[in-house]
Every structure is written in C-alpha cells, then in structure tokens.
Amino acid sequence: MKAWPRELSVGLALAALLAALAVFAPSFFAPQPLLSLAAREAPVLLVACGAAMVIVCRQIDISSGSQFAVVSVAAGLLAAEGWPPAAVAGTALALGATLGALNGILVAGLGLPSIVVTLATMVTWREGLRWWRQGAFINLPDGLQWLGLGQAAGQWALIGAALALLALLALAARHLAAGRHLYAVGSDAEAARLAGIRPSAVTFGAFTLAGALTGLAALMNVIQSPQVDPKSGTGLELKAIAAVVVGGVGIAGGRGRLAGVLLGLLLLATVGPALTHLRIEAHWEKAIQGAIILLAVAAERARRRPAR
Amino acid sequence: MTPSPASPRPALRHETVLLAVVVLEWLCFHALGPRFGTLENSFDLLRHSAEIGLLALAMTPVILTGGIDLSVGSLLGLCAVLFGKLWRDAGLDPATAAACTLGIGALAGGLNAALIAGLRLPPLIVTLGTYSLFRGLAEAITRGADTFTNFPAAFLFLGQERWLGLPTQAWFFAAVAAAVWLLVHRTTFGCACRAHGFAPEGTRYAGLPVGRQLTAVYVLSGLIAALAAVIYTARLGQARADAGTGYELLAITAVVLGGTSIFGGRGSVHGTLLGVAALAILNNGLVHARQPREVAGLLTGALLLLALAAGTAPRLWAARRARRSPAPSSP
Amino acid sequence: MIKPALSLLLCGLVFLAGCGRAPEAARDAGGGKRLTVALLPKSKGNAYFISCRAGAEKAARALGVELLFDGPTDTDPAKQNEIIENWITLGVDVIAAACENREGISTALRKAQARGIKVITYDADALPDARAFFVNQATPEGIGQTLMDEAARLTNAEGEFAVILSTLTASNMQEWLKHIRARLAEKYPRMKLVAVRPCDDQKDKAQTEATTLLSAHPNLRLLMNICSPAVPGAAEAVKQAGKTGQVKVIGLGLPSENRRYVKEGVTDSVILWKTEDLGALAVEAAVALAQGTLKRGDTAFRNAAGATYEVRGDQLLLGQPFIFNRDNIDQFNF
C-alpha cells in the first residue's frame, strides 16, 4: 500500500478550499477567531475518533450525540453542586465509558446489530433527558470555565489535548496489539477469531472507548462556556460519521486512518465558516455540505478504479 | 422466503411475536383510553402513519439488499417543495404537478442508484450525502422561508377526506403495500434482492444483474418518497422545506422492528407493516393514556431493543448449545 | 424459547398500563365532570414553554380544571396536527395552541371546532377562522419593531448588524425577520443587515456562528438573536472575541439564561414578555371561553386574580413586551 493514498483527495479538497479563502476572504485566517473555532471543534474531533474506532471495527454508533448531551448535563449538574473539577471530569469520563459499554454489551454480548442498538439508545437518552430536564439550561460556577487557565491558554490546551489524544490513538491503532486487533476484527471477524482474537471483546472495547471519548468531548465542550444547554450534541453523530467517512475510513470496516479523520473533520468544519466568509447565504449550506461529501467519496472511488 | 439456512428455525416467527405486541398494545390502550378504540381514532392512526409507512415500505427492499437509504426524509421535503413550486409558480394543476413530482422523486432515487450501483460506493455514505443535499436543495429553492399553501380542495381530499369509507391516503398506502409485498415475496426480483443481501459478491459471480437490481431498488425508494411527499402536503395543506425532518430514522425503526435484518437478506414486508403499526399505535395510544410525548420516544427505544433481543435470543441459545456439544462441521 | 422475551414484553406493557392509569384515577376521583384544557407548545424541551407551562399549571390549579400539556419533541411540522387530532378524539373541552405553522395547523383546529371543541391560540396565531380568540403577547410586527428600534438605539442607527435565528424554515422566525427588514427599510437607511445565520436552536452552534460572523464581518456593530438559546451563545462569542461593548448583543430570551451576560455588560438588552402570565392567560381565557364568560364583542377580560386585560376584536392583549437590561433584570426570575 502506498503512503497516504486514501486521504489524498480530502487533503486536496481542503487545500483548494483554504486557497479560495486566502484569495477571496483572507479575514478567515485572523488568528484569534480561528483559535476559538478550532477550540470549538476539538471536542468533535474526539467524538469522530471514537466513531472511527467503531467503524474500523465494522460497527456504527449513532448514539454519540445523545451520550454527549447526557454527559454534558450530568457534568453541569455536578459542577453546579460544587464538585471539584477533577471529580467532575472523572465522573464524566466514567459516565461516557458506561454509556459506551452499554452499547458494547448489547452489540458484542448479545450480537445485536449496532445501528439498531445505537438507534435505540440514541432515542432513549435524548428523550429521557428531555423528560427529565425539560430543556432547562444549567448555570455553572465561575471557576470551571477554561478550568481557571484563562481563555487563550484554555483554548490551546483543548486543541493540544485533542491532537495529542488523536496522535496517541493513531499510534496505538498502528502499533499496539489491541489496535491491530481492531482492524483484524473489522476486516474479517471469523478469521480474527481463528487467529485467537476474541471479536466480541474487541468490539466491546471499541464501543467503550468511543463512549469514554464522547464523555471527554462533552467535558471539553462544557468548560468552554458558563452554561450547559441540554440540547447540545444534537446531530453530532452525523457530523462525526461524515468526518470519518470523508476522511477515508472504509464503512465496511478494517480500513482507514485517524489522520484521515482529522482531515475530514477539518474539511467539513471549514465549510460552514467559509460560506459565511465568502458571503454565501445560509440556505445553501446544507446542499453544499452534501455535495462535498458526495464529491469526496466519488472522487476517491474514481481515482482508485477499478479496484476491488 | 425461508430464513437463512444457517440459523435454526426459531420456535416463533418474529412476525408472530410482533403481531402479539401490536394486539397487546391495542388492548392496553383500549383499556387506558376510552376513545382509543373508536373508528375515528383508527382513521387518525391510518392518516398519521401513511407517510412513515410508505417510507418504511420503500426502505424494506433497500435494507433487504444490505443497503440503507438515509435520504428519504430529505427527499420528502424536497419533493413537497417542488410540488408546491410546480403547482403555484409553474401553474400546473395538482394532478400534473404530482405526476412530475413522482418523476423527480424517481430521478433523485436515480442519483443514489448511480452512485451506489454505478460507482459501487457504500449506501450509507452516499445517502448521508444526499440526505444533506436534498434537504439543502429544498431550503435553497425556498430560501428557507417560502411556504406553499391554499391548495385546492380537490387536492386536499387526498389527505384529509375519506373515499369509500376509508381515509383517501389509506388506499394509496394499501396499493403500495400490496405492490411491494408482491415484488419482494412473489418475484425473482425479490429473491435476487435477498440474495444480494446475503452475499453481494456471490450474487455478482452468480451472474445476476446486480447493478440493475440495486438501481431499481433505490429508484423505487425515491418514487415512493415522492408519493409520500404529495400525500403529506395534502394532509397538512402546506409544503415547506422542513417537511419530513427525521422521517428516515422513523422509517428505519419501523423496518427493523418488523424483523428485517439490517445486514440484508432476511425480512418481510408484512413484518414492516406490523412494525409501522406497533410504532403508530404506541405514539397515538400514549396521547390517549395522557402520557407526555417523551415517553413515546423512550418506549420506542425499549421496544426496538426488546424486539431485537427476542429475535436473537433463540439463535444465541442455539449457538451456545452447539458450542457445548462438538459441532458436526465448522461453523 | 421465545416465551421469556414475550412475557418480558407483556410485563413492560402492563407496567406501562399501570403508570398511565395511576394519576388518571386519582384525578377522576375528584368527582363531577371537570373541564379539560389541552395546551400545545410549539415544541417541548424549550425554556420559553417551560415557563409558559408553569404559569398555565398555576392557573389550572386555581380554576380547578385539568390541564394537558404536550407538544412535539422534534421539528417536523406535521407533529402538531397529529397531537391536535388525537386530542379531538380524546374529547378535550378546550384546545389552546401555539402554532408552529399557520396554514398547516389551521386544518386540524377547524376540525376541532367542527366537533364542538373550543379553540384559542396563544404565542403564535393560526388563521382567524380556525380559532375563537388569540392571546396576543406581542404582534410579530411589534416584536420586529421593538428589536429593530432597540438595535438602532444602541448603534446610533448606523453600521452593520447580523441576525441569528433558530432555523431558516421556522415560520415565526421568518415572520419576525420580515418585520425587522420592513422596519429597517422604513426607518434606518444607514444600518445594514449583512448576514442571517441559523443555530438549530442550540447554544453551542450559536456560539460558533457568532464567532464566525465576528471575524467575517469586522465592522459588525450588533448581533440580533431572535431565538432564546442564541442570546447567551452570541454573548459568549462576543466576550471570547474580546469585543464586549464594541459589538452589542440583543435578542429575545429569558432573563435567567442571560443574567450573567447582562450584568457583565456583554448583552445589552433582552426582550420578552412575562411568559408565565402568557401561559396563565391562555388557560384562563380558554376556561372562560368554554364557560361562556368570554365572548366576541367583549372589550375587557378580568381573570380570577383581578387583573384586567384588554380585548381588541378577537385578540386578548397581554401587554407590552419588557426590555430587560442591567437595571431591572434582577427583578425577574424566570
């Protein structure tokens, strides 16, 4: 396999978009707003990494947006109760991992199809949260925002943490046995089983990890503002999955890299702001986003034809 | 039509279990809400589930081939808006406009088909893209703001009145249900769809026209989504770019609840109809039981998991027993 | 083998039956036929309607009527119709609806009237022939004008401003936007509306949109947020961009969600009516209509607590919207 073949078209598309912006709307590159926008996308990157793990394992998770909302609200309530930030963070991670593990049990343990399981948990968490909270905002105590770091430092810390985690996960996926098992199970669960890997354990692990990443992401979003909106995370799962597939991760499992996910997310996250900067009216946004997804995957296939 | 030869025949068919659930639901809500069992409410049920039901019918062959169509809800919105545009701005009479809308729906389904069957791209990604594209086009055409309304009474008859004793749209729904049932269960085309769901590569090597099959399935899905759009517009008396938001998930829920395997190959149209009924009765009945709407969402999730577990438990059980006693051949 | 699953399902449904019945039985034990008022919000899980509901529940308790509060949990416009049609079959006495889409919902409301159910609307009107009265908290025209005038006051009626709304397709958003644009064209030629962005009713998305707007339009003088989650979202973006005071933030929102930013001087004014009173008045008017004490031709409506509201034609007027700012926001806690 050649180096970086699958991610090339995404990278080119991103480069083209950035070039267009540099010519027509250089204001896009003003450092301060760009830093803020990047910090806002940092949590999405973690959710997308989780989604990528699950997809590599030949499963799918569409409940991550609802998990995100549940963890956000729980973390917000605990913080408002006066829990110290470290305890809030620990609980958020644990809660995220638990929600992910629940998907994992249902998928890996009972052998149920993941799209249906996560469809069910997505609806259940979202409606349960609405029933419980009725949509009321949660006001957070003053010290929690940026964890006391100050705004710029906090934003850099979030971006740094997200990228470091991405790098760590990418390395683990490439070099650790557990990472290779993920790809093995995703390419052919039966072959993996015969090679001594337990596919159900790997699948369970992927869902749990994705849940923990979503929990962390929710926490990283909560500390960016002094209020928690219980509707946050609506539609996040689709954004994450879109970033993953645009980034060249094969939906049929076993193929794809986290670096591609980063590129995919950068592309998708740039489109919205780019349209505002290019003075294109908002009602074109969804159509353009859809066209970009289609073009990215079609270009990828056209370039590699007649593979498979 | 038999389930996969690899899986042991379950003691009870999924459809039977689901039928019991539907009957139970009916009895429960009948006991809870005095007006639930009235004829009028049954008509409401039919009216309210026609569009989701149509989309679920369209989705069934798609899922049988191992694919998925996330774009149907967005396509419903796009078709509703285009129908309004054709009628109001192009000055066509509703019947002609509806016919054109069906054509557009088929065309949009053709776009999915071209990418999925022609370029062999995964259906999930393609329809995720068109999900965004179709809704985006609907918003772009209306600039988000334009609402089409004041349709003639003759057109509204389709969605709000009764014909031969039943709500008009129920007849369309029944006709489409019968057609899809025949197509899936009584033609070689239906068998080929399942075959493709079981073993896509195998079907290709067996010389079946896989490309044409997939094309037909997605075009049919677009066509039915367009029909749903016309009925939706008639029922509400308005068309706007947000019509049908989220319907794709409701349709998928109904199909999966109906026992169709999301991996393709296994499933039935009557199962889908039962799935639609189970969800519609739940949503309607909870209002009669004076429960808030969130409960319907919660119970939908629970029902989905339970139905699914009920379908898988016997197989798991058998697999465990098979593992204990030495298997006759490799699994 | 499938029996355990089946019996589990049975248990679930029986449980459901149980939890449905309990409150019902308790309520019916009160004896006599109580009036049932069904209150329909535009959507559930929205702070605005939670506040309306609180007022409505108080009024319902005071009047001794049963209140049903339910609404769609998602954005599809057909869902409101389905709930109304279910209520018709259920046989409620009065329906009070906040309409997400005028034309679409009127179909269902007319059907309710034909069955002898009294219908009023609140918050957002249906077509006039589909209801008896509209409890009017502020006309779309009034809201548009108040917002635009407030924006002009804060910017000395010149410079660029942008609007953040919930979704492009929501009919009340478009209605308000239309009147904002009309007022702008009529009175403030030196102001310019440079962008209209949706935030999907999410605070997080509003913050991202506002951040982008601030960098894309460096001369922006004001952000006008016409859905409630967008006001704190935009305020946080302005604060993080270090443009507090330089870019003004106004909008339609609840005091409780905005108190922090109003006090910090990021958000200049938040405009809203007393939402609890709106919910209460909707229920009171609905009951009065059903009991025949509110009729066409009345010029005033007096509620049980003794407050008097003006009736103009087929509309009950709640009164002028409030403008919350740094000086008065602590007096309100909703």
Side-chain angles (χ1 to χ4, degrees):
Chain A
M1 201 196 267
K2 281 178 288 175
W4 307 103
R6 297 183 60 81
E7 292 81 3
L8 195 64
S9 54
V10 194
L12 286 177
L14 180 62
L17 184 59
L18 291 178
L21 279 169
V23 176
F24 297 109
S27 59
F28 177 80
F29 296 97
Q32 197 278 331
L34 212 51
L35 178 65
S36 283
L37 283 182
R40 312 234 7 99
E41 297 300 331
V44 187
L45 180 62
L46 291 192
V47 178
C49 282
M53 301 285 195
V54 171
I55 290 176
V56 163
C57 197
R58 207 172 186 175
Q59 305 288 351
I60 197 156
D61 182 358
I62 57 173
S63 70
S64 51
S66 300
Q67 292 177 346
F68 188 91
V70 169
V71 176
S72 296
V73 167
L77 286 175
L78 293 178
E81 284 282 308
W83 285 35
V88 173
T91 317
L93 260 178
L95 180 61
T98 311
L99 294 176
L102 195 72
N103 285 338
I105 290 172
L106 291 169
V107 174
L110 294 182
L112 304 178
S114 53
I115 189 166
V116 189
V117 166
T118 55
L119 176 63
T121 49
M122 164 181 144
V123 179
T124 309
W125 301 148
R126 179 68 63 189
E127 298 297 324
L129 192 64
R130 200 191 319 263
W131 200 19
W132 175 35
R133 295 295 307 166
Q134 294 286 313
F137 275 28
I138 299 160
N139 283 308
L140 299 176
D142 284 333
L144 195 69
Q145 200 175 7
W146 311 120
L147 296 173
L149 285 177
Q151 184 181 320
Q155 286 174 337
W156 279 114
L158 287 179
I159 298 166
L163 289 177
L165 257 172
L166 174 88
L168 217 65
L169 287 170
L171 284 175
R174 221 176 158 73
H175 299 295
L176 284 190
R180 299 321 297 166
H181 289 173
L182 206 61
Y183 284 84
V185 171
S187 334
D188 191 333
E190 191 50 31
R193 195 182 67 78
L194 294 174
I197 301 170
R198 284 178 54 204
S200 57
V202 174
T203 307
F204 175 79
F207 275 102
T208 311
L209 183 61
L213 285 171
T214 304
L216 187 60
L219 189 74
M220 286 169 62
N221 186 51
V222 164
I223 61 170
Q224 291 194 41
S225 81
Q227 285 167 324
V228 177
D229 176 359
K231 278 206 284 289
S232 62
T234 311
L236 180 63
E237 63 283 345
L238 287 184
K239 194 173 176 187
I241 292 171
V244 169
V245 294
V246 169
V249 175
I251 202 84
R255 280 178 310 143
R257 269 178 293 221
L258 289 179
V261 176
L262 177 63
L263 283 178
L265 178 63
L266 283 177
L267 177 63
L268 289 181
T270 311
V271 174
L275 294 182
T276 306
H277 277 271
L278 294 171
R279 309 283 196 270
I280 295 172
E281 287 196 65
H283 50 251
W284 283 104
E285 185 168 332
K286 277 189 197 137
I288 292 174
Q289 222 141 30
I292 285 180
I293 296 178
L294 291 178
L295 282 177
V297 288
E300 168 65 29
R301 176 50 56 113
R303 215 169 49 77
R304 294 189 309 123
R305 246 184 157 185
R308 285 243 305 178
Chain B
M1 214 181 304
T2 47
S4 144
S7 68
R9 193 177 170 77
L12 270 174
R13 297 175 65 95
H14 181 88
E15 286 86 347
T16 320
V17 179
L18 197 57
L19 183 64
V21 170
V22 170
V23 172
L24 264 176
E25 273 187 311
W26 186 276
L27 291 176
C28 269
F29 290 126
H30 195 74
L32 285 173
R35 303 278 183 89
F36 174 78
T38 56
L39 197 61
E40 188 193 358
N41 192 49
S42 311
F43 287 163
D44 273 352
L45 264 170
L46 273 175
R47 256 194 289 269
H48 296 169
S49 48
E51 294 105 31
I52 304 274
L54 283 172
L55 296 185
L57 284 172
M59 192 79 79
T60 308
V62 171
I63 295 184
L64 276 176
T65 63
I68 198 152
D69 190 348
L70 295 177
S71 70
V72 286
S74 301
L75 185 54
L76 193 157
L78 178 59
C79 286
V81 161
L82 286 173
F83 172 77
K85 201 92 185 149
L86 286 170
W87 167 74
R88 191 189 69 186
D89 297 350
L92 297 181
D93 65 286
T96 322
C100 294
T101 307
L102 292 184
I104 292 165
L107 218 63
L111 174 65
N112 281 333
L115 293 165
I116 294 166
L119 287 180
R120 296 206 204 167
L121 291 168
L124 185 73
I125 311 179
V126 169
T127 57
L128 184 66
T130 49
Y131 157 86
S132 191
L133 181 69
F134 293 156
R135 180 73 63 199
L137 287 176
E139 286 186 2
I141 290 169
T142 57
R143 305 173 59 83
D146 210 355
T147 305
F148 303 94
T149 181
N150 290 327
F151 292 98
F155 171 66
L156 296 180
F157 181 83
L158 179 61
Q160 299 173 10
E161 303 292 329
R162 288 182 206 166
W163 188 61
L164 300 182
L166 283 182
T168 321
Q169 62 262 58
W171 294 104
F172 284 86
F173 182 55
V176 173
V180 175
W181 192 86
L182 286 174
L183 186 70
V184 168
H185 295 285
R186 287 288 178 271
T187 62
T188 46
F189 175 81
C191 286
C193 283
R194 285 144 197 275
H196 185 265
F198 268 126
E201 289 305 305
T203 321
R204 230 176 261 278
Y205 291 129
L208 288 173
V210 170
R212 251 185 292 157
Q213 251 172 48
L214 285 181
T215 306
V217 162
Y218 286 94
V219 169
L220 181 69
S221 168
L223 189 68
I224 296 181
L227 176 63
V230 174
I231 289 176
Y232 178 100
T233 310
R235 172 161 72 94
L236 229 63
Q238 75 159 30
R240 209 169 60 186
D242 56 1
T245 313
Y247 278 22
E248 59 284 339
L249 284 186
L250 296 175
I252 293 171
T253 307
V255 173
V256 175
L257 190 60
T260 298
S261 161
I262 200 80
F263 304 120
R266 224 157 20 88
S268 67
V269 174
H270 40 282
T272 296
L273 292 175
L274 284 171
V276 173
L279 292 181
I281 293 175
L282 188 67
N283 271 305
N284 176 295
L286 282 170
V287 179
H288 283 263
R290 309 198 174 193
Q291 294 298 312
R293 238 175 136 77
E294 293 91 329
V295 177
L298 282 174
L299 286 177
T300 304
L303 198 62
L304 203 52
L305 286 179
L306 275 175
L308 215 64
T312 328
R315 251 187 301 149
L316 269 184
W317 192 280
R320 189 162 299 169
R321 263 197 311 199
R323 221 177 295 152
R324 276 200 205 118
S325 57
S329 61
S330 67
Chain C
M1 239 162 273
I2 208 134
K3 274 186 190 131
L6 194 62
S7 51
L8 210 61
L9 266 176
L10 247 168
C11 291
L13 284 166
V14 169
F15 166 75
L16 162 70
C19 63
R21 173 139 295 182
E24 190 81 49
R27 254 180 247 139
D28 282 352
K33 173 88 176 80
R34 287 170 66 185
L35 211 58
T36 306
V37 179
L39 192 69
L40 180 76
K42 274 184 194 157
S43 69
K44 276 192 145 178
N46 176 322
Y48 179 87
F49 285 107
I50 303 171
S51 183
C52 282
R53 179 189 191 171
E57 275 173 351
K58 260 183 232 161
R61 234 174 290 131
L63 293 167
V65 297
E66 183 175 352
L67 181 71
L68 281 179
F69 176 88
D70 208 0
T73 53
D74 39 27
T75 49
D76 180 69
K79 288 289 184 296
Q80 279 203 323
N81 282 39
E82 284 163 29
I83 293 173
I84 297 227
E85 284 175 358
N86 281 333
W87 278 342
I88 296 174
T89 342
L90 191 59
V92 301
D93 300 299
V94 206
I95 291 174
C99 308
E100 170 65 34
N101 50 118
R102 244 171 123 75
E103 292 83 8
I105 201 171
S106 297
T107 315
L109 292 179
R110 276 189 211 110
K111 190 172 156 192
Q113 284 187 320
R115 301 294 169 83
I117 296 172
K118 304 280 184 198
V119 175
I120 65 165
T121 52
Y122 73 102
D123 188 62
D125 203 3
L127 296 175
D129 69 316
R131 46 80 180 156
F133 281 96
F134 171 44
V135 178
N136 192 343
Q137 79 285 13
T139 56
E141 211 171 349
I143 294 169
Q145 288 182 1
T146 312
L147 278 166
M148 199 58 232
D149 290 348
E150 186 68 8
R153 185 181 72 79
L154 288 166
T155 57
N156 296 323
E158 62 180 9
E160 297 181 348
F161 72 104
V163 167
I164 299 181
L165 40 65
S166 67
T167 58
L168 290 171
T169 44
S171 47
N172 58 341
M173 295 292 146
Q174 290 297 342
E175 188 92 349
W176 293 337
L177 195 59
K178 190 175 82 191
H179 290 292
I180 290 169
R181 284 201 163 112
R183 186 73 165 181
L184 174 68
E186 173 199 350
K187 284 195 77 174
Y188 307 109
R190 284 181 303 145
M191 293 184 76
K192 191 174 171 226
L193 175 57
V194 290
V196 176
R197 302 290 305 174
C199 75
D200 299 343
D201 247 334
Q202 292 182 50
K203 184 193 65 110
D204 292 341
K205 176 115 191 283
Q207 191 179 332
T208 306
E209 289 293 347
T211 305
T212 311
L213 281 172
L214 290 173
S215 81
H217 301 277
N219 298 323
L220 206 65
R221 297 283 306 279
L222 178 131
L223 282 169
M224 185 188 285
N225 308 283
I226 58 177
C227 68
S228 67
V231 194
E236 183 63 27
V238 168
K239 188 180 159 193
Q240 289 190 13
K243 292 191 170 177
T244 303
Q246 189 186 337
V247 177
K248 312 282 184 188
V249 178
I250 65 169
L252 294 174
L254 295 162
S256 60
E257 286 171 358
N258 293 291
R259 187 165 289 122
R260 176 192 304 260
Y261 296 111
V262 170
K263 286 194 168 171
E264 283 174 6
V266 186
T267 301
D268 294 275
S269 31
V270 181
I271 295 160
L272 201 67
W273 36 95
K274 288 190 173 168
T275 42
E276 281 204 20
D277 290 1
L278 175 61
L281 184 57
V283 168
E284 286 159 356
V287 172
L289 183 69
Q291 292 170 342
T293 47
L294 174 65
K295 300 176 296 296
R296 286 285 170 96
D298 288 354
T299 54
F301 174 70
R302 205 177 148 81
N303 72 1
T308 309
Y309 297 94
E310 189 189 341
V311 181
R312 196 182 298 159
D314 56 3
Q315 303 201 351
L316 267 86
L317 304 185
L318 183 71
Q320 285 301 308
F322 281 91
I323 299 183
F324 302 103
N325 51 35
R326 206 201 289 234
D327 304 323
N328 66 6
I329 195 157
D330 274 339
Q331 299 161 24
F332 303 95
N333 58 348
F334 59 97

